[in-house]
Amino acid sequence: MQIRFWGTRGSLPAPLTAADVRAKLVAALTEVQGRSLETPAAVEAFVAGLPFSIRGTFGGDSSCVELIDGENTNHVLCDMGSGARRYGVEMLRRHGPDNPQTYHVFMSHTHWDHIMGFPMFPPAYLPGNRIIIHGCHAEIAGAFHRQHGAPSFPVEFSQLQAAIEFVVLKPDTTTEIAGYQVTPLLQRHSGDSYGYRFEKNGKCVVYSTDSEHRTEQSEEAERFARFFNNADLVIFDAMYSLAEATSVKEDWGHSSNVIGVELCQMANAKRLCLFHHEPTYSDSQIEDVLHKTRRLEEITRAETPLEIITAYDGLTVTL
Amino acid sequence: MEIGVEDRGNVLVLKVSGRIDHLNASAFHEALTPHLSHCSADGTPIVLDLSGLDYISSAGLRIFMIVAKQANARGGRIAVAQMQPLVREIFEISHFHLVYEIFASTDDALAAISSTTTTTA
Ligand SMILES: [Zn+2]
Ligand SMILES: [Zn+2]
């Protein structure tokens, strides 16, 4: 199983500015000092050695994550944030316009940052494509319809040419969909959100974004520890610091890196991926959170280590 | 988790020891609560001596946040002192160093607090 991240930013897309790119160039060239970069290979090696926040970017698109599985001809996606545009373009490039495809989409919830990519998702415009949108909210179809048509968008939902279906799933109930055993779980978030646990061929990934945690409530912590149990990868809403999430941003519906580490340690998960990055954070701030989270894991580790990564647009993780 | 109480004249020193996690965070809160009522603008500042605290989880830090808010709301002053390196790192990673004044030793905390707790005529 592979996981590809098409959108990783929380709440609103956050593209780089010209000043951000310039700052990266200045930082990179400052690092060159005294080195000889006379061959393309030397340049490549030098760039590869730079911190990710200088040589790359964590990306600006909002939530959209693909599950890839060699045996599967169906496409599986979590959320339709702005990252779905690039994903849809890539699918068309790969399969061509005359080769209908089936897409299964699992929706955490219908806040705008999680549905905004759908009007710009090219496969929705092509007849023959089938898009099945799964979620636990009864009113999920309404949220998709509402962002189409006047005054928000030039195209009415009814003008979309693909066959679009909505399927309401039951939390805490495992269903086989597109070859995966899928279990949704209710999460604490304004208007509710749902996490999804996907299992196939002995591998497991949990997608758990837009979820606030109250770890002082033991049953709540244990409910999530069971949901994350032995997962190979947990994609986790780590938008705020713990101090923010328990003070000014309490009840804003998001969590922290610290709680991600604790729940994954309780669950004996193998890898934690920090996700739904705060839109005001720079690349170096996100990188700093990653380093501190790794340090926290190191100093609180019981036995087996938990690997910590942070999501960026374009990242592929192989389980 | 245990809390020892030491009255140092005009400052109350609470010595916290053991581990605080989701299993005993509410007990920790209950144990602190009676002491908090005196922590106000013209009351008794509190120094939490954390030399005996071995570990704190997010559930425990949440209580530290509630306690800081309660003290601040009354205009009281509360500080932490003498953290073990591990607990200090957890504090910083969680950004709780932005919430609490942190002192290397209880004496430093007492000196700082006493010097600013001026007596008014
Ligand atoms: Zn969101
Ligand atoms: Zn949301």
Side-chain angles (χ1 to χ4, degrees), chain A residues 53-75:
Chain A
S53 60
I54 297 178
R55 70 182 152 86
T57 179
F58 291 95
D61 271 321
S62 71
S63 303
C64 184
V65 177
E66 180 189 9
L67 273 63
I68 305 165
D69 166 33
E71 318 165 358
N72 208 340
T73 52
N74 290 333
H75 305 292

Side-chain angles (χ1 to χ4, degrees), chain A:
Chain A
M1 204 194 292
Q2 281 189 319
I3 315 301
R4 175 161 296 170
F5 292 86
W6 294 89
T8 57
R9 191 65 72 159
S11 302
L12 197 73
L16 289 180
T17 64
D20 295 331
V21 174
R22 189 176 190 281
K24 285 175 194 288
L25 286 171
V26 169
L29 293 171
T30 307
E31 291 285 317
V32 173
Q33 314 261 345
R35 283 175 226 238
S36 150
L37 297 178
E38 280 167 15
T39 64
V43 173
E44 283 292 341
F46 167 73
V47 171
L50 291 170
F52 185 81
S53 60
I54 297 178
R55 70 182 152 86
T57 179
F58 291 95
D61 271 321
S62 71
S63 303
C64 184
V65 177
E66 180 189 9
L67 273 63
I68 305 165
D69 166 33
E71 318 165 358
N72 208 340
T73 52
N74 290 333
H75 305 292
V76 175
L77 209 58
C78 291
D79 283 336
M80 275 273 170
S82 68
R85 180 187 63 83
R86 230 188 285 254
Y87 166 76
V89 169
E90 170 62 16
M91 289 298 112
L92 270 195
R93 190 197 62 76
R94 205 180 294 170
H95 303 290
D98 304 318
N99 181 9
Q101 303 290 313
T102 298
Y103 297 89
H104 288 272
V105 184
F106 293 87
M107 296 300 304
S108 61
H109 62 317
T110 54
H111 277 164
W112 195 29
D113 56 316
H114 297 257
I115 62 171
M116 59 172 28
F118 190 68
M120 301 299 280
F121 182 59
Y125 291 82
L126 296 177
N129 281 332
R130 200 172 155 214
I131 303 170
I132 305 158
I133 299 172
H134 305 264
C136 299
H137 296 79
E139 67 284 7
I140 200 158
F144 275 82
H145 282 96
R146 201 175 48 198
Q147 66 173 349
H148 277 270
S152 303
F153 199 68
V155 184
E156 295 289 340
F157 192 89
S158 58
Q159 291 175 282
L160 298 173
Q161 296 293 301
I164 302 163
E165 301 156 44
F166 292 91
V167 177
V168 178
L169 300 176
K170 254 195 176 157
D172 305 315
T173 306
T174 304
T175 316
E176 185 172 326
I177 302 168
Y180 294 92
Q181 298 294 318
V182 185
T183 314
L185 185 84
L186 174 66
Q187 304 178 137
R188 178 189 287 268
H189 194 67
S190 161
D192 293 342
S193 72
Y194 294 86
Y196 293 92
R197 179 181 172 102
F198 298 89
E199 289 166 284
K200 185 171 187 180
N201 295 340
K203 294 288 178 188
C204 171
V205 56
V206 177
Y207 179 72
S208 177
T209 192
D210 295 63
S211 177
E212 184 166 347
H213 293 273
R214 297 288 166 85
T215 49
E216 76 281 11
Q217 298 169 4
S218 299
E219 336 71 72
E220 267 304 287
E222 279 151 20
R223 195 167 71 91
F224 275 91
R226 282 195 300 276
F227 190 55
F228 295 175
N229 187 38
N230 284 324
D232 297 285
L233 177 69
V234 175
I235 300 164
F236 189 86
D237 171 359
M239 194 169 179
Y240 303 141
S241 69
L242 180 68
E244 286 174 318
T246 49
S247 59
V248 283
K249 293 177 181 175
E250 187 165 33
D251 294 326
W252 287 22
H254 297 286
S255 192
S256 64
N257 56 338
V258 173
I259 288 182
V261 169
E262 283 180 9
L263 291 176
C264 284
Q265 284 172 334
M266 281 175 76
N268 200 26
K270 293 181 187 67
R271 212 173 329 188
L272 164 65
C273 180
L274 308 177
F275 185 74
H276 204 271
H277 304 305
E278 159 64 44
T280 63
Y281 278 12
S282 66
D283 286 318
S284 60
Q285 280 173 294
I286 296 173
E287 195 164 61
D288 185 53
V289 172
L290 172 65
H291 291 150
K292 287 187 169 141
T293 312
R294 284 182 173 157
R295 177 65 186 154
L296 179 69
E297 186 279 331
E298 199 182 351
I299 61 176
T300 58
R301 186 183 300 164
E303 283 164 29
T304 41
L306 166 70
E307 188 188 338
I308 316 281
I309 58 175
T310 195
Y312 60 87
D313 298 5
L315 169 68
T316 303
V317 177
T318 302
L319 304 186

Side-chain angles (χ1 to χ4, degrees), chain B residues 52-74:
Chain B
L53 183 66
D54 301 318
Y55 171 76
I56 186 157
S57 77
S58 62
L61 286 165
R62 188 181 173 79
I63 305 304
F64 271 81
M65 181 62 79
I66 293 170
V67 164
K69 278 188 208 163
Q70 287 172 333
N72 289 342
R74 291 199 196 92

Side-chain angles (χ1 to χ4, degrees), chain B residues 15-65:
Chain B
K15 193 168 162 34
V16 182
S17 52
R19 293 170 60 87
I20 308 171
D21 59 20
H22 66 284
L23 299 172
N24 62 5
S26 54
F28 173 60
H29 192 199
E30 275 168 37
L32 279 183
T33 302
H35 306 293
L36 279 171
S37 52
H38 308 294
C39 185
S40 59
D42 44 8
T44 319
I46 292 177
V47 173
L48 296 165
D49 172 349
L50 303 187
S51 56
L53 183 66
D54 301 318
Y55 171 76
I56 186 157
S57 77
S58 62
L61 286 165
R62 188 181 173 79
I63 305 304
F64 271 81
M65 181 62 79

